[in-house]
């Protein structure tokens, strides 16, 4: 059952696509405090709080304070309160009461989940305006299913987007891309996509291609297609200010960029230097921005990633001017503890400054709204611009799209990647923690920068990370400029990487089948154990294992120099210790805690009783997967009980 409550005059974000009557009175069980602009709920001692999608910390969010505040910050540490997204859905799981609750408010909110008081969950709003949806159902699965039913079906990518993608900031020219492909193919490593980071553009101008480094782009896209490779270019939120640049000229002439209070277009800066931001919240401007993707679609491109759409701001022209003026005041002075830190803070705080988010406005549904009030919608609506355009421009064929920033509702138009993580062991586990939360919020197509974006990857870290990523719909190896090169073929044990990548392709029939069932039935691909074993209190505490689809449980190794790990089995299971599609051992294990050895090149897959894992064979790319060659591995059941979903992988559904 879903009930809607309203506080104040909420902005309609279009996250929810179904109409509900608004109930009078308070949200049952929640106490409203007008002065604090908060709602509080008393948690029972063993209540578990899931949700919040892409953020920091564990699956059970209890014991920290989180924010709904999309941020461009590559330090994904435990001390942070938000990452790139705002997914304001919570799932409270208790013995006495379980429910889901969605706070639809596109501005700043805090979720104090037992941080100030371990027993209190307090949600505080900067603007006390929200549509609140309370969802009650018989089980956690049902609650999520009902919630997903009101936010609309999750985005479905083309099937090739389940293949391996290789990325780097940046492959600078055609030859460098060719070299990557040659190395993959030459080493017998399957590959479906190579990502083009910002340097493919001409001077970081969206929807342009550098003609020196990619002299005949369409021909190159075609050349790659012939080798079974899709090129996936990045699109950034900021449009370079440059006379004669068509996108800039058109956007200016039509008034499609965001403006300051005085009516002037906001001048911010990102990669190309000074930019304007398209007002993607304005329906007309959104359509126009979406139409820009056509140039690349026409060149044969069928996948994109949208970036810097929190939006990330290096500086705004106005703020920079203020900073330079203030800095002059410090010149020649004896800077002491106070003044030195003030001085340093001036420059350090220049990027993504909250004040800048109050300097400009959107034209949203005919109203002028200051950006900070709808801040968390920007990435969502940029991606919606693309998604809606793809429906017009490519009505039959699916297009790959994922974004860095997002809000619930964007899950209808694209997936997400989890941004600028680091080559840290803790980030393998962070990625695992994020997956079920993302799924609850509707984001099924997702994955992390495998191997880590920042810092230097080691061979063992990359291998262990891959052993998790072979289960995530998006499997992309990506890393930052200046870090150690981390393409799989650059490391010593190529054989193990090759086998694991091949194992991914053998798992695609199952992963795609389970992904599609989740998308078509408003379900989850990744579930915490408590979803299937609700009466098992021990299972509810497991934070480093996941159920992937109906048949299997995974337990990745995420610590360095470990030759195995402890695994909790809520029931008897069949362990497959897998090194490649052909090289695996099976062993039946009884319910309980076990120390399970797992060599560096091995993946642990546990098949649940009464279930079947269909396993294919390796293939050079997704297109070449032979659907006829599937082995069904059952545990205590008939191999035919598993229903394998498949389709042509491109037609829109
Ligand atoms: C941002 C993105 C990252 C990309 C870089 C350059 O940091 O998150 O993935 O490589 O920008 O475009």
């Amino acid at each position: 059952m879903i009930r809607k409550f309203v506080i104040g005059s909420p902005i309609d974000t279009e996250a929810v696509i179904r109409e509900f009557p608004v109930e009078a009175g308070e949200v049952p069980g929640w106490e409203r405090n007008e002065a604090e602009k908060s709602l509080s709920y008393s948690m029972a001692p063993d209540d578990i709080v899931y949700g919040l999608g892409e953020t920091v910390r564990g699956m059970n969010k209890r014991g920290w304070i989180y924010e709904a505040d999309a941020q461009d910050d590559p330090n994904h540490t435990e001390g942070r309160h938000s990452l790139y997204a705002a997914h304001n859905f919570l799932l409270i799981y208790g013995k006495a009461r379980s429910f889901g609750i969605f706070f639809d408010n596109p501005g700043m909110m805090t979720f104090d989940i037992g941080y100030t008081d371990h027993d209190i969950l307090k949600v505080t709003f900067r603007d006390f305006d929200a549509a609140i949806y309370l969802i009650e159902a018989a089980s956690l699965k049902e609650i999520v299913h009902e919630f997903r039913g009101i936010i609309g079906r999750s985005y479905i990518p083309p099937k090739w987007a389940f293949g391996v993608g290789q990325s780097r900031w940046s492959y600078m020219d055609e030859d460098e891309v060719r070299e990557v492909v040659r190395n993959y193919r030459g080493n017998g490593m399957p590959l479906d996509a190579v990502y083009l980071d910002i340097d493919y553009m001409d001077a970081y101008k969206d929807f342009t291609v550098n003609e020196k480094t990619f002299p005949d782009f369409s021909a190159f896209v075609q050349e790659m297609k012939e080798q079974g490779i899709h090129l996936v270019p990045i699109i950034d939120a900021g449009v370079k200010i440059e006379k004669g640049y068509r996108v800039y000229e058109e956007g200016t002439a039509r008034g499609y960029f965001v403006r300051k209070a005085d009516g002037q277009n906001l001048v911010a800066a990102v990669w190309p230097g000074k930019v304007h931001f398209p007002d993607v919240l304005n329906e007309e401007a959104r359509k126009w921005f979406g139409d820009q993707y056509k140039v690349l679609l026409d060149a044969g491109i069928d996948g994109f990633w949208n970036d810097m759409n929190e939006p990330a701001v290096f500086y705004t022209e106005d703020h920079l001017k203020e900073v330079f003026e203030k800095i002059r005041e410090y010149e020649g002075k004896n800077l002491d503890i106070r003044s030195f830190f003030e001085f340093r803070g001036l420059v350090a705080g220049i990027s993504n400054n909250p004040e800048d988010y109050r300097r400009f406005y959107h034209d949203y549904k005919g109203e002028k709204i200051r950006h900070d009030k709808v801040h968390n919608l920007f990435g969502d609506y940029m991606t919606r611009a693309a998604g809606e355009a793809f429906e017009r421009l490519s009505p039959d064929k699916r297009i790959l799209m994922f974004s860095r920033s997002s809000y619930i509702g964007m899950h209808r138009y694209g997936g997400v990647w989890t941004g600028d993580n680091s080559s840290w062991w803790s980030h393998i586990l962070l990625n695992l923690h994020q997956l079920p939360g993302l799924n609850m919020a509707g984001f099924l197509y997702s994955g992390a920068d495998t191997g880590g974006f920042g810092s230097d990857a080691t061979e063992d870290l990359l291998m262990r990370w891959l052993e998790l990523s072979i289960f995530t719909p998006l499997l992309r190896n990506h890393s930052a400029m200046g870090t150690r090169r981390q393409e799989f073929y650059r490391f010593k044990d190529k054989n193990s990487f090759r086998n694991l990548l091949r194992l991914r392709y053998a798992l695609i029939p199952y992963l795609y089948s389970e992904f599609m069932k989740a998308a078509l039935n408003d379900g989850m691909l990744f579930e915490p154990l408590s979803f299937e074993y609700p009466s098992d209190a021990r299972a509810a505490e497991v934070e480093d294992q996941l159920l992937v689809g109906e048949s299997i449980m995974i337990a990745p190794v995420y610590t360095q120099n470990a030759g195995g790990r402890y695994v909790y089995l809520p029931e008897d299971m069949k362990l497959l210790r897998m090194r490649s599609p052909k090289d695996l051992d099976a062993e039946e294990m009884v319910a309980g805690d076990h120390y399970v050895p797992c060599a560096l090149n091995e993946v642990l897959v546990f098949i649940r009783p009464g279930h079947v894992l269909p396993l294919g064979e390796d293939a050079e790319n997704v297109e070449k997967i032979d659907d006829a060659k599937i082995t069904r591995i059952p545990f205590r059941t008939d191999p035919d009980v598993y229903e394998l979903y498949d389709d042509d992988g491109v037609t829109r559904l």
Side-chain angles (χ1 to χ4, degrees):
M1 186 180 58
I2 303 186
R3 300 164 70 183
K4 179 176 179 180
F5 300 85
V6 164
I7 292 176
S9 332
I11 293 168
D12 179 10
T13 64
E14 300 189 7
V16 171
I17 56 165
R18 260 175 54 196
E19 295 284 335
F20 285 90
V22 176
E23 288 196 27
E26 302 300 321
V27 186
W30 291 73
E31 206 173 294
R32 184 198 300 216
N33 182 326
E34 287 292 338
E36 276 187 358
K37 301 186 184 170
S38 70
L39 292 174
S40 298
Y41 176 77
S42 290
M43 295 182 285
D46 49 7
D47 277 1
I48 287 177
V49 182
Y50 291 119
L52 296 185
E54 179 195 275
T55 187
V56 292
R57 298 209 168 206
M59 288 196 255
N60 182 354
K61 308 315 279 185
R62 197 160 173 171
W64 189 238
I65 185 161
Y66 299 86
E67 290 173 352
D69 186 20
Q71 293 256 341
D72 160 38
D73 186 335
N75 286 311
H76 304 180
T77 58
E78 266 185 53
R80 291 282 302 284
H81 302 284
S82 67
L83 295 173
Y84 306 90
H87 301 148
N88 305 336
F89 174 74
L90 293 176
L91 179 58
I92 288 97
Y93 172 38
K95 281 199 194 87
R97 187 179 175 207
S98 294
F99 60 95
I101 189 160
F102 174 46
F103 300 93
D104 191 6
N105 170 313
M108 172 68 154
M109 288 167 55
T110 58
F111 300 88
D112 180 336
I113 309 181
Y115 167 76
T116 305
D117 175 336
H118 195 254
D119 298 325
I120 303 293
L121 161 52
K122 185 188 279 190
V123 182
T124 309
F125 300 76
R126 188 183 281 158
D127 292 317
F128 211 17
D129 301 298
I132 298 170
Y133 299 84
L134 182 74
I135 304 128
E136 285 172 306
S139 66
L140 296 179
K141 263 174 161 347
E142 274 302 301
I143 294 169
V144 171
H145 176 72
E146 296 242 332
F147 174 56
R148 296 273 302 285
I150 68 168
I151 58 173
R153 198 176 75 191
S154 296
Y155 162 76
I156 296 174
K159 193 175 182 184
W160 62 261
F162 284 76
V164 172
Q166 180 60 55
S167 187
R168 172 79 179 173
W169 175 16
S170 299
Y171 297 126
M172 299 302 288
D173 55 27
E174 286 184 349
D175 277 344
E176 217 179 321
V177 175
R178 287 192 184 103
E179 188 197 315
V180 171
V181 176
R182 205 166 37 240
N183 273 304
Y184 266 89
R185 294 282 182 254
N187 282 298
M189 294 176 177
L191 183 70
D192 270 86
V194 177
Y195 286 75
L196 299 180
D197 208 323
I198 46 175
D199 295 283
Y200 80 88
M201 293 183 236
D202 170 22
Y204 311 115
K205 283 178 288 189
D206 278 342
F207 314 111
T208 69
V209 174
N210 183 328
E211 288 176 4
K212 288 206 185 71
T213 48
F214 294 88
D216 188 344
F217 193 62
S218 304
F220 186 58
V221 173
Q222 198 45 43
E223 177 190 324
M224 286 295 119
K225 283 245 158 94
E226 277 155 21
Q227 299 192 46
I229 303 294
H230 300 258
L231 292 179
V232 185
I234 195 169
I235 302 293
D236 284 303
V239 171
K240 185 174 190 204
I241 299 177
E242 186 185 282
K243 280 240 152 317
Y245 164 39
R246 191 186 49 79
V247 185
Y248 161 76
E249 295 288 0
E250 260 182 43
T252 310
R254 298 186 192 181
Y256 287 160
F257 294 123
V258 297
R259 286 179 236 223
K260 299 188 291 183
D262 64 5
Q264 298 287 311
N265 288 344
L266 176 85
V267 178
V270 201
W271 310 116
K274 290 183 183 170
V275 300
H276 290 322
F277 290 122
D279 189 0
V280 283
L281 272 75
N282 168 344
E283 206 177 325
E284 257 182 51
R286 179 162 76 244
K287 178 169 184 300
W288 166 78
F289 191 76
D291 282 339
Q292 305 307 315
Y293 287 78
K294 185 169 186 298
V295 242
L296 292 162
L297 291 172
D298 287 349
I301 292 295
D302 49 11
F304 300 87
W305 46 313
N306 276 352
D307 192 24
M308 304 299 265
N309 51 7
E310 293 68 34
V313 175
F314 289 178
Y315 60 85
T316 59
E317 193 174 56
D318 291 333
H319 185 212
L320 190 69
K321 205 160 143 240
E322 291 160 17
V323 168
F324 273 121
E325 275 161 20
K326 282 202 194 124
I327 280 182
R328 278 188 211 108
E329 294 169 18
Y330 293 84
E331 205 172 350
K333 298 229 170 92
N334 175 357
L335 301 182
D336 60 10
I337 177 168
R338 195 182 51 82
S339 52
F340 172 70
F341 285 107
E342 271 171 9
F343 167 73
R344 207 168 66 166
L346 280 173
V347 178
I350 215 164
S351 296
N352 306 316
N353 190 300
E355 259 178 53
D356 281 332
Y357 293 133
R358 290 193 284 271
R359 283 182 207 262
F360 65 96
Y361 294 78
H362 296 277
D363 176 1
Y364 187 52
K365 297 182 192 269
E367 252 184 86
K368 191 169 157 185
I369 301 185
R370 205 174 67 195
H371 175 79
D372 61 313
K373 296 181 181 293
V374 287
H375 173 68
N376 296 323
L377 286 185
F378 194 86
D380 172 352
Y381 275 67
M382 178 192 174
T383 300
R384 179 169 174 174
E388 288 172 342
F390 299 156
E391 284 165 22
R392 294 191 297 274
L393 302 170
S394 174
D396 304 323
K397 203 176 100 176
R398 301 177 211 166
I399 302 291
L400 170 63
M401 162 53 66
F402 58 88
S403 169
R404 193 169 74 175
S405 187
S406 59
Y407 185 82
I408 292 177
M410 198 205 87
H411 69 287
R412 302 193 293 268
Y413 304 99
V416 290
W417 99 100
T418 54
D420 299 347
N421 58 12
S422 291
S423 300
W424 300 343
W425 290 87
S426 59
H427 278 182
I428 302 179
L429 187 58
L430 176 63
N431 183 208
L432 183 146
H433 288 159
Q434 290 169 330
L435 292 165
L438 281 165
N439 279 197
M440 289 172 203
F443 295 93
L444 294 180
Y445 188 76
S446 66
D449 285 351
T450 297
F453 175 76
S455 341
D456 295 324
T458 57
E459 179 166 16
D460 55 349
L461 174 125
L462 182 64
M463 203 172 284
R464 287 304 196 193
W465 204 318
L466 176 61
E467 290 163 13
L468 168 62
S469 297
I470 60 173
F471 299 100
T472 62
L474 168 65
L475 194 184
R476 182 179 76 144
N477 177 332
H478 180 48
S479 55
M481 182 177 278
T483 59
R484 180 182 189 179
R485 296 262 164 183
Q486 66 184 42
E487 292 82 4
F488 299 108
Y489 53 79
R490 291 192 189 264
F491 293 93
K492 195 170 152 204
D493 190 3
K494 291 193 186 54
N495 194 35
S496 294
F497 281 118
R498 174 169 41 244
N499 286 336
L500 290 167
L501 293 167
R502 289 179 173 185
L503 180 56
R504 159 63 171 215
Y505 281 73
L507 286 165
I508 286 177
Y510 175 70
L511 291 176
Y512 186 70
S513 169
E514 290 301 302
F515 176 95
M516 291 302 293
K517 287 181 200 165
L520 299 174
N521 306 318
D522 299 329
M524 289 163 68
L525 177 64
F526 298 103
E527 288 177 332
L529 269 48
S530 55
F531 274 59
E532 290 296 326
Y533 307 98
S535 54
D536 181 342
R538 172 83 181 81
E541 286 183 10
V542 174
E543 288 255 331
D544 58 359
Q545 302 172 202
L546 286 177
L547 297 161
V548 184
E550 63 168 61
S551 303
I552 62 172
M553 179 180 82
I554 59 167
V557 175
Y558 53 89
T559 49
Q560 193 158 24
N561 301 315
R565 54 161 288 171
Y566 283 95
V567 180
Y568 176 68
L569 270 59
E571 56 185 332
D572 296 356
M573 291 188 183
K574 180 191 266 186
L575 164 64
L576 300 181
R577 187 176 278 109
M578 312 178 91
R579 290 165 291 268
S580 83
K582 294 254 154 58
D583 183 12
L584 52 105
D585 315 309
E587 179 188 338
E588 288 192 14
M589 294 183 77
V590 294
D593 284 288
H594 299 266
Y595 182 81
V596 184
C598 179
L600 183 57
N601 63 346
E602 290 179 335
V603 181
L604 306 175
V605 175
F606 298 85
I607 305 179
R608 300 174 56 201
H611 290 275
V612 179
L613 175 66
L615 191 65
E617 291 190 353
D618 67 64
E620 189 171 81
N621 63 9
V622 169
E623 221 187 340
K624 296 207 173 124
I625 293 176
D626 185 347
D627 295 329
K629 290 192 181 144
I630 288 175
T631 313
R632 287 169 172 257
I633 311 177
F635 181 45
R636 296 189 186 155
T637 189
D638 179 334
D640 293 331
V641 299
Y642 183 77
E643 258 182 63
L644 188 73
Y645 172 93
D646 202 7
D647 57 26
D648 69 11
V650 282
T651 306
R652 278 183 188 275
L653 298 168

